[in-house]
């Protein structure tokens, strides 16, 4: 993943905590050396971070280099600073400390990350991730939104070779772009 909205810049000299391997090994139920989304959720919970299975699947998809739907310890180790950065970013943006980002906090985070969306687009995006129409995003929705925006940005960037912020799609290219967004 690239740095940007919700994504911390890679940490220079990041050193995984010694307990990281123990977290990984303790949830690898079949000792395969790989964990799935359920096991990832358990590992993150041991580190004090709660995610639902949908969000765990999205995180795994970002770091699963061989597309097996599981990650090994190396991938888990690469994922760790991302999840830690997401948690830190969420807490920083959660001005009231209530465990949720109100619409204005999400809008500020988008602007801070360089995303200038029109109001209608912003509202549509909020409806996509705030499925219960509460007017805020919890940590899970925040991570899912961030992963989605990263995937969209990467897909759009593939077609925006001149970096103009504009692309012209034929229908086939549009379908391909839509399918490629995880």
């Amino acid at each position: 993943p690239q740095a940007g909205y919700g994504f911390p810049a890679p940490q220079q000299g990041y050193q995984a905590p010694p307990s990281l391997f123990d977290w990984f090994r303790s949830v690898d139920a079949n000792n395969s050396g790989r964990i799935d989304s359920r096991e990832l959720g358990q590992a993150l919970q041991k580190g004090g971070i709660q995610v639902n299975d949908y969000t765990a699947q999205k995180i795994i998809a970002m770091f699963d280099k061989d597309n097996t739907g599981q990650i090994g310890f190396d991938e888990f180790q690469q994922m760790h600073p991302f999840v830690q950065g997401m948690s830190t970013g969420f807490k920083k943006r959660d001005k009231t400390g209530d465990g949720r980002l109100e619409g204005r906090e999400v809008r500020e985070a988008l602007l801070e990350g360089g995303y200038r969306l029109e109001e209608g687009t912003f509202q549509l995006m909020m409806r996509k991730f705030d499925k219960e129409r509460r007017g805020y995003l919890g940590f899970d929705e925040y991570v899912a939104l961030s992963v989605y925006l990263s995937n969209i940005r990467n897909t759009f960037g593939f077609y925006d070779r001149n970096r103009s912020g504009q692309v012209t799609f034929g229908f086939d290219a549009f379908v391909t772009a839509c399918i490629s967004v995880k």
Side-chain angles (χ1 to χ4, degrees):
Q2 300 172 0
Y5 166 64
F7 297 102
Q11 298 175 7
Q12 297 295 340
Y14 168 77
Q15 190 69 281
S19 57
L20 197 62
F21 185 71
D22 293 334
W23 291 343
F24 182 86
R25 197 176 58 208
S26 72
V27 298
D28 181 12
N30 63 0
N31 294 314
S32 66
R34 303 193 63 73
I35 60 173
D36 61 20
S37 60
R38 183 185 54 76
E39 293 166 321
L40 174 60
Q42 293 171 353
L44 293 175
Q45 185 175 10
K46 288 178 185 271
I49 296 174
Q50 299 282 334
V51 296
N52 62 30
D53 192 57
Y54 173 81
T55 302
Q57 288 172 16
K58 295 298 180 187
I59 294 170
I60 283 189
M62 286 182 73
F63 292 91
D64 179 14
K65 303 290 186 244
D66 54 3
N67 295 315
T68 61
Q70 300 178 326
I71 57 174
F73 181 69
D74 286 346
E75 295 160 319
F76 182 76
Q77 200 168 10
Q78 292 171 3
M79 177 222 61
H80 186 257
F82 164 77
V83 173
Q84 287 296 104
M86 291 299 300
S87 178
T88 300
F90 182 86
K91 290 173 184 171
K92 174 185 148 201
R93 290 176 175 105
D94 180 13
K95 305 280 191 249
T96 60
D98 59 1
R100 56 190 187 190
L101 296 182
E102 304 295 330
R104 68 177 162 64
E105 293 168 315
V106 174
R107 162 92 54 206
E108 289 170 12
L110 287 170
L111 288 170
E112 185 179 306
Y115 291 95
R116 289 166 189 23
L117 301 175
E118 293 180 12
E119 185 61 27
T121 305
F122 174 74
Q123 292 302 324
L124 183 63
M125 186 193 60
M126 283 297 290
R127 282 193 300 276
K128 178 176 178 63
F129 291 95
D130 177 15
K131 292 182 181 3
E132 297 175 25
R133 308 293 187 261
R134 301 168 301 188
Y136 63 85
L137 300 180
F139 182 69
D140 278 331
E141 293 106 352
Y142 172 74
V143 173
L145 166 69
S146 297
V147 170
Y148 184 75
L149 283 174
S150 176
N151 290 336
I152 287 174
R153 179 191 58 230
N154 293 341
T155 300
F156 186 85
F158 174 80
Y159 291 95
D160 184 18
R161 296 203 169 106
N162 297 328
R163 301 296 180 243
S164 66
Q166 301 285 318
V167 295
T168 302
F169 284 111
F171 187 68
D172 281 349
F174 179 71
V175 170
T176 300
C178 290
I179 289 171
S180 68
V181 175
K182 295 179 182 180

PDB file of all heavy atoms in Angstrom, residues 113-126:
ATOM      1  N   GLY A 113      -5.695  13.929   3.011  1.00  0.00           N
ATOM      2  CA  GLY A 113      -5.054  12.944   2.139  1.00  0.00           C
ATOM      3  C   GLY A 113      -5.054  13.337   0.674  1.00  0.00           C
ATOM      4  O   GLY A 113      -4.604  12.564  -0.174  1.00  0.00           O
ATOM      5  N   GLY A 114      -5.574  14.521   0.359  1.00  0.00           N
ATOM      6  CA  GLY A 114      -5.557  14.992  -1.021  1.00  0.00           C
ATOM      7  C   GLY A 114      -6.779  14.612  -1.839  1.00  0.00           C
ATOM      8  O   GLY A 114      -6.803  14.818  -3.048  1.00  0.00           O
ATOM      9  N   TYR A 115      -7.800  14.072  -1.200  1.00  0.00           N
ATOM     10  CA  TYR A 115      -9.026  13.693  -1.905  1.00  0.00           C
ATOM     11  C   TYR A 115     -10.032  14.826  -1.791  1.00  0.00           C
ATOM     12  O   TYR A 115     -10.569  15.074  -0.721  1.00  0.00           O
ATOM     13  CB  TYR A 115      -9.628  12.410  -1.318  1.00  0.00           C
ATOM     14  CG  TYR A 115      -8.792  11.185  -1.586  1.00  0.00           C
ATOM     15  CD1 TYR A 115      -7.877  10.723  -0.650  1.00  0.00           C
ATOM     16  CD2 TYR A 115      -8.918  10.491  -2.783  1.00  0.00           C
ATOM     17  CE1 TYR A 115      -7.112   9.604  -0.886  1.00  0.00           C
ATOM     18  CE2 TYR A 115      -8.154   9.362  -3.034  1.00  0.00           C
ATOM     19  CZ  TYR A 115      -7.253   8.925  -2.083  1.00  0.00           C
ATOM     20  OH  TYR A 115      -6.494   7.813  -2.329  1.00  0.00           O
ATOM     21  N   ARG A 116     -10.283  15.497  -2.890  1.00  0.00           N
ATOM     22  CA  ARG A 116     -11.261  16.584  -2.925  1.00  0.00           C
ATOM     23  C   ARG A 116     -12.485  16.096  -3.700  1.00  0.00           C
ATOM     24  O   ARG A 116     -12.536  16.201  -4.912  1.00  0.00           O
ATOM     25  CB  ARG A 116     -10.651  17.817  -3.572  1.00  0.00           C
ATOM     26  CG  ARG A 116      -9.610  18.442  -2.672  1.00  0.00           C
ATOM     27  CD  ARG A 116      -8.731  19.433  -3.311  1.00  0.00           C
ATOM     28  NE  ARG A 116      -7.586  19.958  -2.613  1.00  0.00           N
ATOM     29  CZ  ARG A 116      -6.898  19.461  -1.619  1.00  0.00           C
ATOM     30  NH1 ARG A 116      -7.259  18.364  -1.061  1.00  0.00           N
ATOM     31  NH2 ARG A 116      -5.839  20.042  -1.118  1.00  0.00           N
ATOM     32  N   LEU A 117     -13.398  15.535  -2.954  1.00  0.00           N
ATOM     33  CA  LEU A 117     -14.600  14.961  -3.562  1.00  0.00           C
ATOM     34  C   LEU A 117     -15.750  15.951  -3.508  1.00  0.00           C
ATOM     35  O   LEU A 117     -15.903  16.681  -2.518  1.00  0.00           O
ATOM     36  CB  LEU A 117     -15.009  13.681  -2.821  1.00  0.00           C
ATOM     37  CG  LEU A 117     -13.976  12.557  -2.776  1.00  0.00           C
ATOM     38  CD1 LEU A 117     -14.486  11.418  -1.917  1.00  0.00           C
ATOM     39  CD2 LEU A 117     -13.633  12.074  -4.171  1.00  0.00           C
ATOM     40  N   GLU A 118     -16.552  15.938  -4.556  1.00  0.00           N
ATOM     41  CA  GLU A 118     -17.768  16.745  -4.532  1.00  0.00           C
ATOM     42  C   GLU A 118     -18.698  16.174  -3.479  1.00  0.00           C
ATOM     43  O   GLU A 118     -18.617  14.998  -3.116  1.00  0.00           O
ATOM     44  CB  GLU A 118     -18.427  16.725  -5.910  1.00  0.00           C
ATOM     45  CG  GLU A 118     -17.602  17.421  -6.970  1.00  0.00           C
ATOM     46  CD  GLU A 118     -18.250  17.394  -8.337  1.00  0.00           C
ATOM     47  OE1 GLU A 118     -19.457  17.035  -8.436  1.00  0.00           O
ATOM     48  OE2 GLU A 118     -17.559  17.717  -9.309  1.00  0.00           O
ATOM     49  N   GLU A 119     -19.604  17.020  -2.978  1.00  0.00           N
ATOM     50  CA  GLU A 119     -20.479  16.613  -1.872  1.00  0.00           C
ATOM     51  C   GLU A 119     -21.284  15.357  -2.209  1.00  0.00           C
ATOM     52  O   GLU A 119     -21.404  14.450  -1.378  1.00  0.00           O
ATOM     53  CB  GLU A 119     -21.417  17.756  -1.483  1.00  0.00           C
ATOM     54  CG  GLU A 119     -22.268  17.464  -0.261  1.00  0.00           C
ATOM     55  CD  GLU A 119     -21.459  17.191   1.011  1.00  0.00           C
ATOM     56  OE1 GLU A 119     -20.319  17.682   1.145  1.00  0.00           O
ATOM     57  OE2 GLU A 119     -21.977  16.477   1.881  1.00  0.00           O
ATOM     58  N   GLY A 120     -21.824  15.271  -3.411  1.00  0.00           N
ATOM     59  CA  GLY A 120     -22.613  14.098  -3.796  1.00  0.00           C
ATOM     60  C   GLY A 120     -21.786  12.820  -3.783  1.00  0.00           C
ATOM     61  O   GLY A 120     -22.254  11.767  -3.333  1.00  0.00           O
ATOM     62  N   THR A 121     -20.555  12.903  -4.245  1.00  0.00           N
ATOM     63  CA  THR A 121     -19.654  11.748  -4.243  1.00  0.00           C
ATOM     64  C   THR A 121     -19.301  11.356  -2.817  1.00  0.00           C
ATOM     65  O   THR A 121     -19.305  10.174  -2.469  1.00  0.00           O
ATOM     66  CB  THR A 121     -18.374  12.070  -5.051  1.00  0.00           C
ATOM     67  OG1 THR A 121     -18.743  12.485  -6.361  1.00  0.00           O
ATOM     68  CG2 THR A 121     -17.454  10.865  -5.125  1.00  0.00           C
ATOM     69  N   PHE A 122     -19.033  12.357  -1.991  1.00  0.00           N
ATOM     70  CA  PHE A 122     -18.718  12.090  -0.588  1.00  0.00           C
ATOM     71  C   PHE A 122     -19.897  11.390   0.101  1.00  0.00           C
ATOM     72  O   PHE A 122     -19.716  10.399   0.820  1.00  0.00           O
ATOM     73  CB  PHE A 122     -18.359  13.386   0.142  1.00  0.00           C
ATOM     74  CG  PHE A 122     -18.159  13.195   1.615  1.00  0.00           C
ATOM     75  CD1 PHE A 122     -17.017  12.575   2.096  1.00  0.00           C
ATOM     76  CD2 PHE A 122     -19.126  13.612   2.519  1.00  0.00           C
ATOM     77  CE1 PHE A 122     -16.834  12.381   3.458  1.00  0.00           C
ATOM     78  CE2 PHE A 122     -18.949  13.422   3.877  1.00  0.00           C
ATOM     79  CZ  PHE A 122     -17.803  12.801   4.352  1.00  0.00           C
ATOM     80  N   GLN A 123     -21.106  11.874  -0.116  1.00  0.00           N
ATOM     81  CA  GLN A 123     -22.287  11.277   0.511  1.00  0.00           C
ATOM     82  C   GLN A 123     -22.500   9.840   0.029  1.00  0.00           C
ATOM     83  O   GLN A 123     -22.854   8.958   0.825  1.00  0.00           O
ATOM     84  CB  GLN A 123     -23.532  12.129   0.248  1.00  0.00           C
ATOM     85  CG  GLN A 123     -23.507  13.475   0.948  1.00  0.00           C
ATOM     86  CD  GLN A 123     -23.370  13.350   2.454  1.00  0.00           C
ATOM     87  OE1 GLN A 123     -23.899  12.438   3.080  1.00  0.00           O
ATOM     88  NE2 GLN A 123     -22.635  14.284   3.049  1.00  0.00           N
ATOM     89  N   LEU A 124     -22.283   9.602  -1.251  1.00  0.00           N
ATOM     90  CA  LEU A 124     -22.412   8.253  -1.801  1.00  0.00           C
ATOM     91  C   LEU A 124     -21.396   7.308  -1.155  1.00  0.00           C
ATOM     92  O   LEU A 124     -21.723   6.182  -0.775  1.00  0.00           O
ATOM     93  CB  LEU A 124     -22.233   8.294  -3.322  1.00  0.00           C
ATOM     94  CG  LEU A 124     -22.416   6.987  -4.071  1.00  0.00           C
ATOM     95  CD1 LEU A 124     -23.848   6.474  -3.926  1.00  0.00           C
ATOM     96  CD2 LEU A 124     -22.092   7.208  -5.550  1.00  0.00           C
ATOM     97  N   MET A 125     -20.184   7.791  -1.003  1.00  0.00           N
ATOM     98  CA  MET A 125     -19.147   6.995  -0.373  1.00  0.00           C
ATOM     99  C   MET A 125     -19.503   6.700   1.087  1.00  0.00           C
ATOM    100  O   MET A 125     -19.340   5.576   1.560  1.00  0.00           O
ATOM    101  CB  MET A 125     -17.812   7.725  -0.459  1.00  0.00           C
ATOM    102  CG  MET A 125     -16.650   6.914   0.048  1.00  0.00           C
ATOM    103  SD  MET A 125     -15.207   7.934   0.274  1.00  0.00           S
ATOM    104  CE  MET A 125     -15.800   9.097   1.476  1.00  0.00           C
ATOM    105  N   MET A 126     -19.995   7.707   1.798  1.00  0.00           N
ATOM    106  CA  MET A 126     -20.391   7.482   3.193  1.00  0.00           C
ATOM    107  C   MET A 126     -21.510   6.437   3.269  1.00  0.00           C
ATOM    108  O   MET A 126     -21.488   5.573   4.144  1.00  0.00           O
ATOM    109  CB  MET A 126     -20.847   8.795   3.848  1.00  0.00           C
ATOM    110  CG  MET A 126     -19.714   9.715   4.239  1.00  0.00           C
ATOM    111  SD  MET A 126     -18.597   9.034   5.499  1.00  0.00           S
ATOM    112  CE  MET A 126     -19.655   9.041   6.945  1.00  0.00           C
TER     113      MET A 126
END
